[in-house]
Amino acid sequence: MYISTRGGKDRLSAAQAIKLGIASSGGLFVPEQIPSFTQGELAGLVSLDYRQRAYAVLAKFLKDYSGPELASCIQAAYNSDKFDTEQIAPLVAVGDSRYLLELWHGPTSAFKDMALQLLPQLLSTALQKTDEKNEVVILVATSGDTGKAALEGFRDVDQIKIAVFFPHEGVSPIQRLQMVTQEGSNVAVIAVHGNFDDAQTGVKKIFNDTDMQNALLDKGYQLSSANSINWGRLVPQIVYYFSAYADLVKGKHIQQGQTVNFTVPTGNFGNILAGYYAKLMGLPINKLICASNSNNVLTDFLRSGVYDRNRDFHKTISPSMDILISSNLERLLYHMTGGDTNQVGAWMAKLQETGVYTIGDRYLEKLRTVFWADWADDKETAQVIQAVFSQHRYLTDPHTAVAWQVYEKYRQATGDQTPSVIVSTASPFKFNESVLSAIETKNRIAGLNEFTMLTALSELTGWPVPVALASLKNKQIIHQQSCAKEEMPAKVWEMLNKA
Ligand SMILES: *Cc1c(COP(=O)(O)O)cnc(C)c1O
């Protein structure tokens, strides 16, 4: 069963938790008990394909979904219509002892697809299972990648409407094009004047506004979330940690049972938290290395135990990590304190009131046994893209390059030789300009547009341009709305009244 990080009487099945997205206390849903894998079960994953591995992991959490329900959700999400490789999440060796876990082979070329191809399936099934009569309205705040992945996942899904809010100046041109050209009869896409935190706070406000929720319910609408606060977003991400480990064993890079590190480019703390769950479940993980860009609030937190969001917000070339409030940290705090909901609630209240909270030495020590953290600025990021390309002919996107650089810093600081996976979260084509600028001289780029840049990258790497990105060229711009952050509730009503 699922309960809230901030206590209260909610005790729900997985289907109900996925349907609601966020708990009534304002907290996040967490599993009451964390299931585990035996060494034998882990070894059994090695010979399975991605879908079968997904089944093995998800079945332990989604107890109320029947076997056939789960299997059909997984089949609909992870197949070769949606992903450009049979492996779904391939592990690629680059140089010696660097393994990149490529999570960007889905329809929108970023790792959000790993969760957002499955979430609509899990949610639709949840609506049937719980006999829900209302229509579900999904609200999404996006720093760029979630929005498009959610739109693709939820477009034209029965009984569901989706509104995506993105920061007006905070996404890359390709990310913007992906969203404003979105087709589908149940979608709205709105630019917010502000940064990602403004958009996220605006969405959270709507979720906490009981008057608005009641008014929506009167009209037959139930709110839900596709952000990583929804358990249905998080649980699919646990799978690829197990899958990467199984692939390391399969490729004879490690022996079954040996520990590995994962370095994760982190923003909202959803991806790396899934790695933490994998560790709690018995996957042999040594360190989870948290990589940030100049918005290094998590680096400071994991080093000092002080979370302080009162700092300048930086726009970087890794925009999906331009975040100062990492929502999923709340789940980590819950598990770290052994489920002390009063303590978690108190820290979150402090964060809301003052922008700062301190966890103290005892808890900090506990976190540091698992996590290590550092950050890289834009200049280092560009240098890594260039260096990896010239040494290995392998092109990373800026988010992955941040992780690569932080992993180098970890190796230097600790000397730890444990085999390490670098989690690769986006295709380099998605951040064409930053990537091309890192490996080409200025005058060779001058005058290129979004699409000629894609072609240039393809020529340099010999990799094909992802089909969905190439086809943006011929798509019509459908969504032109923008609003102030205060106007977000009105925009939700506007979408629903139009329907
Ligand atoms: C969302 C995103 C991240 C950050 O992931 P979190 O789960 O928010 O920590 C990193 N890289 C890319 C490309 C992303 O889209």
Side-chain angles (χ1 to χ4, degrees):
M1 300 300 271
Y2 289 80
I3 53 178
S4 164
T5 48
R6 298 194 199 167
K9 55 183 181 347
D10 288 342
R11 195 167 172 275
L12 304 177
S13 68
Q16 285 169 319
I18 289 170
K19 188 171 85 179
L20 293 179
I22 191 162
S24 54
S25 54
L28 308 187
F29 286 117
V30 280
E32 218 171 9
Q33 270 171 358
I34 294 176
S36 59
F37 268 79
T38 63
Q39 285 303 316
E41 284 176 305
L42 283 178
L45 296 177
V46 174
S47 61
L48 303 183
D49 68 15
Y50 193 85
R51 284 184 289 273
Q52 293 166 321
R53 290 171 183 171
Y55 186 91
V57 174
L58 295 171
K60 289 190 185 267
F61 282 105
L62 308 177
K63 293 273 192 201
D64 52 329
Y65 286 68
S66 72
E69 279 172 348
L70 203 50
S72 93
C73 287
I74 290 168
Q75 176 60 40
Y78 304 124
N79 60 60
S80 37
D81 286 343
K82 304 286 181 61
F83 285 75
D84 66 11
T85 160
E86 231 346 281
Q87 293 166 283
I88 307 295
L91 189 76
V92 179
V94 179
D96 44 272
S97 80
R98 301 280 188 288
Y99 304 97
L100 272 83
L101 175 60
E102 294 183 347
L103 300 179
W104 39 263
H105 290 276
T108 76
S109 304
F111 102 96
K112 303 298 193 290
D113 289 326
M114 299 306 300
L116 281 164
Q117 281 300 309
L118 188 62
L119 176 63
Q121 308 298 331
L122 295 178
L123 181 57
S124 285
T125 308
L127 296 182
Q128 288 161 24
K129 294 174 75 63
T130 59
D131 206 17
E132 179 67 50
K133 297 285 184 280
N134 288 318
E135 257 193 280
V136 171
V137 180
I138 307 276
L139 301 183
V140 179
T142 183
S143 57
D145 292 331
T146 300
K148 177 61 182 181
L151 289 163
E152 261 319 299
F154 283 107
R155 67 186 276 191
D156 297 322
V157 174
D158 276 352
Q159 217 184 331
I160 295 178
K161 290 195 162 25
I162 171 165
V164 168
F165 295 93
F166 70 91
H168 198 42
E169 305 286 324
V171 300
S172 80
I174 287 273
Q175 288 177 320
R176 161 187 291 272
L177 265 181
Q178 281 184 310
M179 290 188 277
V180 297
T181 58
Q182 179 66 45
E183 293 154 8
S185 58
N186 60 341
V187 306
V189 177
I190 302 130
V192 178
H193 298 287
N195 60 32
F196 170 67
D197 287 319
D198 294 322
Q200 177 162 260
T201 306
V203 165
K204 279 189 187 162
K205 269 201 181 128
I206 298 176
F207 276 109
N208 291 328
D209 180 346
T210 37
D211 289 344
M212 174 147 176
Q213 295 213 21
N214 289 335
L216 285 166
L217 277 173
D218 277 349
K219 301 241 151 137
Y221 295 117
Q222 158 83 53
L223 287 181
S224 190
S225 165
N227 278 102
S228 55
I229 52 178
N230 191 319
W231 179 251
R233 257 297 288 286
L234 210 81
V235 71
Q237 298 179 172
I238 300 172
V239 174
Y240 50 74
Y241 286 90
F242 282 87
S243 181
Y245 188 88
D247 280 340
L248 282 171
V249 175
K250 191 175 178 179
K252 304 206 167 26
H253 303 295
I254 60 167
Q255 300 201 325
Q256 184 68 47
Q258 200 181 333
T259 61
V260 299
N261 298 324
F262 284 91
T263 305
V264 188
T266 297
N268 228 345
F269 211 77
N271 194 351
I272 196 168
L273 183 72
Y276 179 69
Y277 279 113
K279 182 173 166 69
L280 294 179
M281 292 166 76
L283 191 69
I285 295 176
N286 172 42
K287 277 284 190 299
L288 289 164
I289 299 162
C290 176
S292 300
N293 64 25
S294 314
N295 296 294
N296 53 5
V297 61
L298 286 168
T299 310
D300 290 348
F301 173 67
L302 291 168
R303 287 179 178 176
S304 69
V306 180
Y307 194 95
D308 185 356
R309 64 143 306 180
N310 301 318
R311 58 180 72 208
D312 290 338
F313 178 89
H314 300 284
K315 272 178 64 172
T316 72
I317 58 172
S318 45
S320 303
M321 294 153 67
D322 289 349
I323 292 175
L324 293 179
I325 304 178
S326 295
S327 302
N328 268 298
L329 210 52
E330 181 166 345
R331 286 191 167 106
L332 176 68
L333 298 175
Y334 173 88
H335 294 297
M336 177 195 74
T337 57
D340 186 344
T341 53
N342 289 333
Q343 180 64 79
V344 174
W347 285 329
M348 291 303 115
K350 267 251 147 91
L351 179 65
Q352 177 121 44
E353 285 153 25
T354 65
V356 188
Y357 63 90
T358 304
I359 59 170
D361 287 346
R362 183 166 61 100
Y363 287 132
L364 179 61
E365 277 317 305
K366 221 170 155 182
L367 282 187
R368 296 209 332 200
T369 61
V370 182
F371 292 94
W372 194 88
D374 210 333
W375 62 286
D377 65 18
D378 277 359
K379 194 162 160 234
E380 293 172 277
T381 306
Q383 278 165 357
V384 167
I385 295 172
Q386 203 277 328
V388 173
F389 185 63
S390 67
Q391 282 165 31
H392 306 291
R393 291 281 129 188
Y394 183 91
L395 200 56
T396 67
D397 95 289
H399 305 78
T400 309
V402 167
W404 184 294
Q405 175 69 357
V406 167
Y407 175 62
E408 296 298 334
K409 291 181 182 182
Y410 172 78
R411 276 281 283 260
Q412 284 208 343
T414 63
D416 180 9
Q417 304 282 327
T418 304
S420 288
V421 175
I422 293 169
V423 178
S424 175
T425 49
S427 157
F429 289 95
K430 195 155 187 186
F431 299 93
N432 51 5
E433 184 173 7
S434 310
V435 172
L436 204 55
S437 307
I439 58 174
E440 278 284 24
T441 55
K442 267 213 175 68
N443 52 12
R444 303 236 347 225
I445 303 171
L448 297 186
N449 67 28
E450 291 302 320
F451 299 101
T452 45
M453 280 194 277
L454 292 176
T455 313
L457 282 176
S458 176
E459 280 163 3
L460 281 164
T461 53
W463 300 354
V465 179
V467 176
L469 296 185
S471 70
L472 285 174
K473 193 174 178 177
N474 306 317
K475 291 247 156 96
Q476 231 185 328
I477 293 182
I478 300 173
H479 307 279
Q480 315 226 31
Q481 301 188 67
S482 67
C483 76
K485 59 186 178 189
E486 296 77 17
E487 292 168 338
M488 291 168 60
K491 287 289 169 191
V492 173
W493 281 116
E494 214 172 277
M495 162 179 86
L496 298 176
N497 291 334
K498 216 164 46 186

